[in-house]
Amino acid sequence: MPTLPWTRPNTPPPAVEVHVFASRFETRTRWGALLFLARTPRVWRQVSRARGAYGASLRAEPFKRTFWTLSAWESRDALKAFAHAGAHAPTARGLAPQMRDAKFVTWTASSDDLPLSWTEAVHRLT
């Protein structure tokens, strides 16, 4: 699966600080990778309609059982509301036993820097 392109659910005002979230997941098995892929569309639809979401992208390396997310949010609260609602919450709980490793990072950036660079996200996650 290639990288899902940056989606812009909401347009941020110019030159405001945005909350950036990036993650890297590695599943224990190929079955876990397939489950992750199968559940991605519901969560992707949720983020594309999420209040306070300024953009998101997903990078998948299913044969390596590794998945990366990158998103920008109006605030930490907007990200938290997304993570605890809709498809994301039950998907995250359901996939937790399949995860071998997970890493999360956050930082701030300017809305003028959107869409965000995968180079920066990967650097921060490795």
Side-chain angles (χ1 to χ4, degrees), residues 8 10-18 52-54 73-75 109-114:
R8 287 184 188 247
N10 303 291
T11 303
V16 298
E17 185 176 87
V18 297
Y54 288 148
W73 299 85
E74 174 184 86
S75 65
S110 171
S111 60
D112 294 339
D113 295 334
L114 300 179

Side-chain angles (χ1 to χ4, degrees), residues 34-49:
L34 287 172
L35 287 174
F36 190 102
L37 287 172
R39 294 175 184 180
T40 293
R42 289 182 54 203
V43 175
W44 190 250
R45 279 190 299 276
Q46 179 190 351
V47 77
S48 71
R49 296 186 295 253

Side-chain angles (χ1 to χ4, degrees), residues 25-28 31-40 43 88-100:
F25 300 97
E26 184 179 339
T27 63
R28 294 180 189 282
W31 174 249
L34 287 172
L35 287 174
F36 190 102
L37 287 172
R39 294 175 184 180
T40 293
V43 175
H88 186 276
T91 298
R93 281 191 305 271
L95 288 173
Q98 298 293 330
M99 294 300 148
R100 176 177 165 202

Side-chain angles (χ1 to χ4, degrees), residues 3-10 12 16-23 44 47 52-59 68-75 79 105-125:
T3 300
L4 293 177
W6 187 259
T7 182
R8 287 184 188 247
N10 303 291
V16 298
E17 185 176 87
V18 297
H19 180 74
V20 179
F21 176 82
S23 63
W44 190 250
V47 77
Y54 288 148
S57 182
L58 171 75
R59 200 182 237 188
W68 312 72
T69 70
L70 177 59
S71 57
W73 299 85
E74 174 184 86
S75 65
L79 171 60
V105 295
T106 62
W107 68 96
T108 58
S110 171
S111 60
D112 294 339
D113 295 334
L114 300 179
L116 296 166
S117 160
W118 270 109
T119 302
E120 175 71 14
V122 170
H123 172 73
R124 288 176 182 260
L125 285 164

